[in-house]
Amino acid sequence: MLRPRLNPPTDIFPPNPWAIEAIRYDGALARDFTGQAETMFALSNGYLGMRGITDEGVPVREAGTYLNGFYEHRPISYGERAYGFPTVGQSILNCPDGTVMSLSVDDEPFTLPEAEILSYRRALDFRTGTLERDVTWATPAGKRLRLRTLRLVSLAHRHRAALAYELTAEEVEAEVVIASALRNDQPLAADTSDPRLAEGFVGRVLHPTGTRAEALRAILSYRTASSGLVLGCGMDHVVAADGPFAVQASVGDDLARVVFRATLAPGRAIRIHKYLSYHYSDGAAPEAIRSQVGWTLDRAVETGFASIRARQHADVTRFWERADVVVEAENPRIQQAVRWNLFQLMQASERAEGHGIAARGLTGRTYEGHYFWDTEIYVLPFLIYTNPPMARSLLKVRYDMLDSARDRARELGHRGAMFPWRTINGREASAYYAAGTAQYHINADIAFALRQYVEVSGDADFLCRYGAEILVETARLWCDLGFFSERMGGRFCIHGVTGPDEYTAIVNNNCYTNLMARENLRYAAETVRRLERDDPDSFATLVRRTGLEPDEAEAWDQAAERMYLPYDERLKVHPQDDAFLDLERWDFAGTPEDRYPLLLHYHPLNLYRSQVIKQADMVLAMFLLSEQFTPEAKRRNFAYYDPLTTHDSSLSVCIQSIVANEIGLREKAIHYFNFALAMDLSDIGGNMMHGAHIAAIGGTWLALVYGFAGMRDTRGRISFQPCLPDAWKRLSFTLRIRGRTIRVELDHAAATYRLEAGEELTLWHAGERVGLTVAEPTVTRAIRPTDGDAHACEP
């Protein structure tokens, strides 16, 4: 079930703690590795993303340039419709590609598979935030040339990308033609064999609305037919050559091209700096968008490539100062993979302000660029502790969707708000309600993330301005959805829902959902009472916005207090739902390895009838609400559910690793962590070619910090119970907590906590209070082996 699909050899991809690099070109490997490499070498800033296709544009598996939130509506077709089914979905669009710089030497096109490669290096440099390539080859006539390129997507200016291109004739004169393009390719047909892939479109998606061209600059603009978004994209160039050169430019609706011709003497070069700009709007006129693109290009040309590159390096350096995780291990691949994963989190989030984070970030169109609950549970903790302003921005995006969530709740016959299972614009885009809309837990996941952000960051202002309103409307939904069951002794029950495990759908009393709903209800009631007591103005605004009634908080408390949680006295475990233990166990022994993931080979009904789990469900609850389970309960639940879990979801193994660590299963913890860490780089799921698994990558950070460092952050209390794997020497990372910055350094003997910025802070180490102050900023405590759980207590 868990197995690497493609592991490139070390002599091509050496371990490097600060880069992913290929140091030799192997044509046979490249044919199998093209799609994976396009994801591996992708660049993004959270707003603009570009897959790592080669500079020549071939060979290519899936070219892609994406803008966060730039989408087109698509009709959702049903053989049989029912009330409340979404009829219109959203799908992120592939924008015109400006990365391609095709090359001919003496009228012979240069492409890697056909060329006689003499030396080769391609590297994604984590320290500089750039993709570099250096290749030397011989033409069919025996002429040696060297091509060096560098590509970046700017963190400082999110609408900008830049490329440097230097071609040198090493020994003999050569006639060269370089064609720089900005091209809008027609959409590809959809692959219907995998439901996770993006839907295709029939016919033209981007409709031309004008062009602009002058000198070495070209700008294209488009409008989507249904969503009404207006796109502008453009390119400009600065060229220098060791000798004369000629330029010819052309522009059409779907293709702009600037062609450079030069005769390079031996040892001479031509250098081109190419600048790209992308803007879109849901209200601006095409002329205005083209002007914005032009202004961005003006600033890029004025700034110059050297300054843009230096600023990128500085911005990436600041990211590592706040977010780096150092792992000293016997296997150097560990550190390399950790930093690639962290780099992907930076690329997915750094300039995503005003938008969510898609399941694959901006590295592919799988899941259509939709935002899921993945962000709140798997990605937001990393941002809360390393980039609180972006965590706030992502929660503000959920607030901005609140009116749409209210509309959806009304459509479903509920009070309050129902946040969408998958969306870009705030409207539900899931066509399969059983594993989509029925996942009501997303409301509680958002509330959980909101509480974690407020308590760790100390941002009470966000709670007053936005968070309280979310809490009121989500709590209302739980009170409306659930009921006090006489059959269950007056306990509060929630029926007809799907939990995180998508292989078990439409159940009664999913334990994860009930537990998280209880937290949502409690926090909503607590917040409303606190505002009424301490901030009458904010409370009055909340009442005005929500129509809050005086007795609602009491109703939420009652529902939380009497929440039904399934429990089996015979097995001493919490059933995943009321009926889960009555199902027949899946025949794992009779399931061939090539039949995983099960969702691609078995009808959902076959899965729903069996005890088989796609991803951590109860185990996830035990991690998020760790303090509500005793160590014994965690062990029993883990022992029951772990063998039933296929890990067909990339979100599973990271959580299993954390809980395995917590209950003393050290070998299993590192086993699962290694799979989580290599989910993409070893192509565990066989679909890295379609984009990086951003939430699973966030889960890797969780497994490091919450797993091996044993951190918990219950009600704002930050505690640690570290236990490093035997093969690791040291683990260290930085956290931002309520305006303070601390560095945590762990080895097998001791944990060192250092206050690097801010005032005093209190932590707990293995249950012992640790006070960090300006006068005494560093405290070291011994690490003692334990098979228990210092975080757990009786419910």
Side-chain angles (χ1 to χ4, degrees), residues 494 497 499 501 504-512 564 566-567 574-583 608 617-618 641:
I494 301 174
V497 301
D501 170 28
T504 310
I506 315 297
V507 300
N508 296 339
N509 293 311
N510 170 255
C511 198
Y512 173 92
Y564 173 72
Y567 187 76
H574 288 84
Q576 188 169 288
D577 58 74
D578 281 354
F580 188 81
L581 299 185
D582 297 327
L583 302 177
Y608 298 163
D617 193 302
M618 265 307 302
Y641 289 109

Side-chain angles (χ1 to χ4, degrees), residues 23 42 53 107 127 155 176 218 271 280 359 423 430 438 518 537 641 704:
I23 59 173
I53 65 172
D107 296 327
R127 288 169 297 192
L155 299 177
V176 302
R271 302 170 188 86
Y280 77 89
T423 190
S430 174
R518 183 171 69 175
D537 290 341
Y641 289 109
L704 287 163

Side-chain angles (χ1 to χ4, degrees), residues 63 93-97 183-189 200-208 222 253-255 365:
L93 295 177
N94 200 347
C95 298
D97 180 11
R183 65 189 189 192
N184 177 38
D185 293 326
Q186 293 301 306
L188 299 174
F201 288 91
V202 177
R204 176 176 279 275
V205 176
L206 297 177
H207 297 266
Y222 302 88
D253 286 342
D254 293 312
L255 177 63
R365 290 186 62 237

Side-chain angles (χ1 to χ4, degrees), residues 31 63 113 133 154 225 323 381 401 477 488 573 596 650 655 685 703 731 737:
R31 283 193 298 272
R133 192 181 68 167
S154 174
M401 294 179 179
L477 181 128
M488 294 294 184
V573 300
Y596 293 92
S650 64
I655 303 302
L731 170 65
I737 303 170

Side-chain angles (χ1 to χ4, degrees), residues 739-788:
R740 290 83 160 172
T741 300
I742 67 166
R743 185 74 182 171
V744 180
E745 297 184 352
L746 310 170
D747 58 29
H748 289 281
T752 299
Y753 304 98
R754 184 169 64 252
L755 181 67
E756 296 192 331
E759 301 174 355
E760 64 181 31
L761 183 67
T762 298
L763 308 171
W764 276 262
H765 169 87
E768 176 187 355
R769 184 182 180 278
V770 175
L772 303 178
T773 66
V774 175
E776 188 179 356
T778 302
V779 174
T780 299
R781 292 288 183 268
I783 294 177
R784 299 178 180 87
T786 177
D787 293 329

